[in-house]
Amino acid sequence: MVQSSFIATGYRYFMAVAEQGSVRAAARTLNVAASAVSRQLLLLEQQLGIALFDRGARTLKMSPAGDVLLRGLRAVADHNDETLDQLDRAFHGAAGA
């Protein structure tokens, strides 16, 4: 079984590449080496058993599976943000009253 911290790192790197459009740009954003980002993407693809990007000689394009994963991860992130906002209003708002 894969540890959740590995999956979380892979997802974070995947989202950065998807949002930045390239491994190099994502690496700069994440403040890590591009090789580390590439390695995490390959490990995530191996773990999921599906290609998340279509790779060309000098191009990286999101695959249909990558599109599905990105939509799902964004939905999870949005839900997480909403939950944190609810917690903040419920407990920090009440503490100030």
Side-chain angles (χ1 to χ4, degrees):
M1 183 158 172
V2 176
Q3 295 180 357
S4 61
S5 62
F6 163 77
I7 293 292
T9 300
Y11 285 166
R12 188 165 46 95
Y13 284 27
F14 165 77
M15 287 183 73
V17 172
E19 291 167 359
Q20 297 296 319
S22 75
V23 170
R24 281 187 184 174
R28 282 192 299 271
T29 300
L30 295 164
N31 200 31
V32 298
S35 60
V37 174
S38 293
R39 186 171 48 255
Q40 285 295 321
L41 289 179
L42 290 173
L43 289 171
L44 181 61
E45 288 177 322
Q46 287 176 348
Q47 185 59 39
L48 297 175
I50 193 160
L52 300 172
F53 293 95
D54 295 324
R55 292 165 174 84
R58 289 195 160 280
T59 62
L60 187 68
K61 182 182 175 221
M62 190 90 64
S63 72
D67 287 331
V68 170
L69 180 61
L70 183 60
R71 281 194 306 272
L73 291 175
R74 284 181 174 158
V76 169
D78 290 345
H79 182 71
N80 184 56
D81 290 344
E82 290 172 20
T83 300
L84 293 175
D85 288 345
Q86 290 173 2
L87 284 169
D88 189 48
R89 285 191 305 272
F91 296 100
H92 292 119

